[in-house]
Amino acid sequence: MGYSLDFGWLADATGAIARGAATTILLIAVTTLAGTFLSILGAAGRRNGPLLLKRAIGVYVEIIRNTPFLVQLFFIFFGLPSIGIRLDPVLAAMLAMTLNMAAYTIEIVGAGLDAVPRGQTEAALALGLRPRQVFVKIVLPQALKVIFPALTSQIVIMMLESAVVSQIAVRELTYEADMLQARTFRAFETYFVVTMVYLVLSMGLRRLLVSGGRRALGARVS
């Protein structure tokens, strides 16, 4: 028996899809800001901090990069309450996404820091700048220019991985899609539409980051 496409339900579902997309955008916005900030601190600490801090950051990176994101999410949302730490689903999702992204971007930012010639740091210190000033004003801006394309890709990947947080009832795009197909029994149409929404979000996010990066970093990025 042939399958007849039916998108008639879409008009009534637009609000739910829009709310889910808005939640997805909120999650990735918070994750991008917090994850990038943590990755800068982590990369700097791994190169210039005390031995204990370097080892702690190394252990954190290895644990996160070698375990599934879904397990990390479940540990935070279902595991932490066992020791008295209960988090709202959205907060748990933001925390899990931030910790996951930071672990990957620590390596990316670290590669950028290593790419800045050591002589520039030495010259700036010789001119009387403090180490923190040298890092913030000279080293970090150059490192971000180098790693911006890789950082952009990681942010987009994290946005796509945010679909996993529907498993803890965060009402983002995938969660709303699951609810819609359960009500309409139109799985093909529902997930086709949501796939297109994710495609638009991914392409829009990439364009936004590239455009913002060009203005903020004063360099051509892609």
Side-chain angles (χ1 to χ4, degrees), residues 149-160:
L151 182 60
T152 296
S153 295
Q154 188 60 45
I155 292 170
V156 173
I157 290 171
M158 195 72 250
M159 190 273 289
L160 297 176

Side-chain angles (χ1 to χ4, degrees), residues 192-212:
F192 176 80
V193 170
V194 171
T195 297
M196 293 301 102
V197 174
Y198 271 117
L199 179 62
V200 170
L201 288 177
S202 297
M203 296 177 65
L205 178 59
R206 188 177 296 276
R207 287 181 178 273
L208 178 64
L209 290 171
V210 169
S211 176

Side-chain angles (χ1 to χ4, degrees), residues 11-192:
D12 294 331
T14 302
I17 293 174
R19 288 192 298 272
T23 301
T24 295
I25 292 171
L26 173 64
L27 289 173
I28 195 56
V30 173
T31 299
T32 297
L33 294 174
T36 301
F37 178 72
L38 286 179
S39 67
I40 291 172
L41 294 180
R46 200 170 186 182
R47 279 151 182 78
N48 304 311
L51 180 60
L52 184 60
L53 178 61
K54 292 180 180 179
R55 290 181 175 176
I57 294 172
V59 169
Y60 156 66
V61 169
E62 290 302 314
I63 290 175
I64 297 296
R65 293 185 64 174
N66 291 285
T67 55
F69 175 56
L70 181 61
V71 173
Q72 298 163 20
L73 178 66
F74 281 179
F75 175 79
I76 290 173
F77 187 69
F78 295 115
L80 292 184
S82 298
I83 58 173
I85 303 175
R86 291 175 172 80
L87 300 177
D88 174 85
V90 174
L91 183 58
M94 289 178 177
L95 179 58
M97 290 173 63
T98 297
L99 292 176
N100 185 275
M101 178 178 165
Y104 283 89
T105 49
I106 280 175
E107 296 297 311
I108 295 174
V109 174
L113 296 177
D114 292 340
V116 178
R118 179 67 182 174
Q120 296 192 23
T121 300
E122 295 172 350
L125 291 172
L127 290 173
L129 272 70
R130 296 180 179 178
R132 182 176 299 177
Q133 292 176 313
V134 174
F135 179 79
V136 172
K137 295 183 178 181
I138 296 176
V139 176
L140 184 59
Q142 295 184 72
L144 290 178
K145 289 181 183 179
V146 172
I147 58 97
F148 195 80
L151 182 60
T152 296
S153 295
Q154 188 60 45
I155 292 170
V156 173
I157 290 171
M158 195 72 250
M159 190 273 289
L160 297 176
E161 288 189 353
S162 68
V164 173
V165 305
S166 64
Q167 298 300 308
I168 60 171
V170 176
R171 299 183 68 94
E172 47 71 68
L173 190 54
T174 299
Y175 180 92
E176 295 295 350
D178 292 342
M179 294 299 101
L180 285 172
Q181 74 87 21
R183 291 198 300 269
T184 64
F185 299 101
R186 310 300 300 187
F188 180 89
E189 293 92 329
T190 299
Y191 291 114
F192 176 80

